[in-house]
């Protein structure tokens, strides 16, 4: 679930790795309906302005806004459903409502 990862687990290892990278990254629990985020790294909080506590438990749709490209969101959702790759750029919004691309 959304609780902290047990030391030595796959989730704990991934979180440790993501904490060390300089690019924004999140981890989603694919076993929970709605695909909630269970982790975000410091680069993500810096990029978006959202605190870790504002992110965990939410689906990443909260980053979408008026200029978010529907066809890109569809491509991402399709890739998740089919387990395929999707290399896209999407317009999301930070905590202050300003758009950014990622």
């Amino acid at each position: 679930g959304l609780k902290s990862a047990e030391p030595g687990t796959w989730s704990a290892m991934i979180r440790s790795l993501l904490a060390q990278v300089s690019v924004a990254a999140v981890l989603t629990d694919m076993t929970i309906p709605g695909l909630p985020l269970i982790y975000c790294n410091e680069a993500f909080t810096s990029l978006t302005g959202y605190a870790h506590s504002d992110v965990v438990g939410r689906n990443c749709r909260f980053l979408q806004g008026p200029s978010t490209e529907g066809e890109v969101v569809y491509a991402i959702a399709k890739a998740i459903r089919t387990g395929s790759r999707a290399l896209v750029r999407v317009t999301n919004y930070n905590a202050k409502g300003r758009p950014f691309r990622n």
Side-chain angles (χ1 to χ4, degrees):
L2 299 178
K3 64 182 181 175
S4 297
E6 297 294 323
T9 64
W10 177 87
S11 179
M13 292 186 303
I14 294 295
R15 291 172 197 226
S16 177
L17 174 67
L18 294 178
Q20 298 175 48
V21 299
S22 61
V23 296
V26 295
L27 185 59
T28 301
D29 190 332
M30 300 291 287
T31 67
I32 299 176
L35 309 176
L37 301 176
I38 59 172
Y39 173 81
C40 67
N41 67 3
E42 189 174 323
F44 180 87
T45 61
S46 294
L47 174 67
T48 65
Y50 288 101
H52 185 267
S53 60
D54 296 328
V55 172
V56 171
R58 298 174 79 179
N59 181 287
C60 59
R61 285 187 297 267
F62 77 93
L63 296 169
Q64 295 177 14
S67 295
T68 300
E69 303 84 359
E71 66 278 3
V72 175
V73 173
Y74 176 80
I76 294 168
K78 182 178 178 185
I80 291 168
R81 278 193 314 276
T82 62
S84 58
R85 290 177 30 157
L87 182 58
V88 298
R89 292 186 60 85
V90 64
T91 303
N92 281 323
Y93 290 79
N94 68 18
K96 293 184 178 182
R98 293 189 185 117
F100 67 93
R101 302 269 296 160
N102 65 326

